Amino acid sequence: MSNTPMAASPLTRAVLEIDEYASGLGWDQPARLFALVDTARLRTEEPVLAAQLGLEDEQQTSGLTPIEQDEIPADQPLDEFLGTIAWPDAVAGCALTVERLMLPPSAEAQVPQGLDEEKLARWVADHPERQEVRMTVAVLRDGARESALRLREKDSATEVLTGADLVPRLAEALAATFEE
């Protein structure tokens, strides 16, 4: 958590920690899913795991620890995969990091009508104004949300944009994983 601001909320710190981790892996990575657990609870209830994660000596008394989950199946659409998830009570929230192509709002009027999903994806990939973006989105059981966006062309920790409502549909899909 070397570059995350200490004044930020625990959820913002967790999102920035995941963004920093994903940044260290480079671009063109698969989506990654993380459970978010209360760090103090983890230290108390799972001291061996906390030690493996290097948390036993941390001075911080509150916070969230991201724990990466198994790989997301590449052959299954992300929304379908998220619909299969059920979290145990010990999980306070979850986060997902995923790379996508993005167009500026000015390109919206240029989108050809009647394209199926595959042709639309190709059209976006070929668009001269496209930008690659890594999105890290996190939600807590209580409804709190946070996101971090990193553009490939501005791949620097100081250029990461954060906010609760940057990727609302993805946040909604993650929140649905906590619904019973």
Side-chain angles (χ1 to χ4, degrees):
M1 210 164 50
S2 59
N3 292 327
T4 58
M6 292 313 294
S9 75
L11 186 56
T12 301
R13 286 195 308 270
V15 165
L16 289 172
E17 182 178 344
I18 293 167
D19 173 76
E20 184 178 339
Y21 167 75
S23 175
L25 298 173
W27 285 88
D28 304 318
Q29 296 292 314
R32 296 177 188 280
L33 181 66
F34 299 82
L36 299 176
V37 296
D38 178 88
T39 304
R41 182 176 175 182
L42 179 65
R43 276 195 220 118
T44 302
E45 295 178 11
E46 298 286 343
V48 173
L49 178 57
Q52 288 174 336
L53 296 172
L55 301 174
E56 72 277 4
D57 295 329
E58 275 195 25
Q59 299 301 312
Q60 190 176 339
T61 57
S62 68
L64 295 165
T65 298
I67 300 175
E68 188 170 4
Q69 303 300 290
D70 291 335
E71 223 174 89
I72 296 174
D75 61 344
Q76 186 176 18
L78 188 57
D79 58 341
E80 287 179 18
F81 172 74
L82 291 176
T84 67
I85 296 175
W87 297 104
D89 291 339
V91 174
C94 66
L96 180 80
T97 184
V98 63
E99 296 175 15
R100 291 291 186 257
L101 291 177
M102 178 177 84
L103 292 176
S106 60
E108 229 174 270
Q110 303 168 13
V111 177
Q113 298 297 313
L115 295 181
D116 63 22
E117 201 170 312
E118 186 178 317
K119 288 180 181 173
L120 178 59
R122 254 185 280 137
W123 183 84
V124 170
D126 293 338
H127 196 283
E129 293 179 81
R130 75 183 178 287
Q131 292 192 27
E132 291 178 74
V133 62
R134 181 182 302 117
M135 302 175 283
T136 303
V137 179
V139 299
L140 295 180
R141 284 185 187 272
D142 69 7
R145 299 173 177 196
E146 188 63 76
S147 305
L149 298 179
R150 181 186 292 248
L151 296 174
R152 189 171 193 159
E153 73 176 28
K154 294 183 178 185
D155 193 1
S156 162
T158 61
E159 295 289 337
V160 175
L161 178 64
T162 60
D165 296 317
L166 298 177
V167 193
R169 293 179 75 182
L170 184 52
E172 289 165 14
L174 289 173
T177 66
F178 291 103
E179 294 173 3
E180 295 185 25

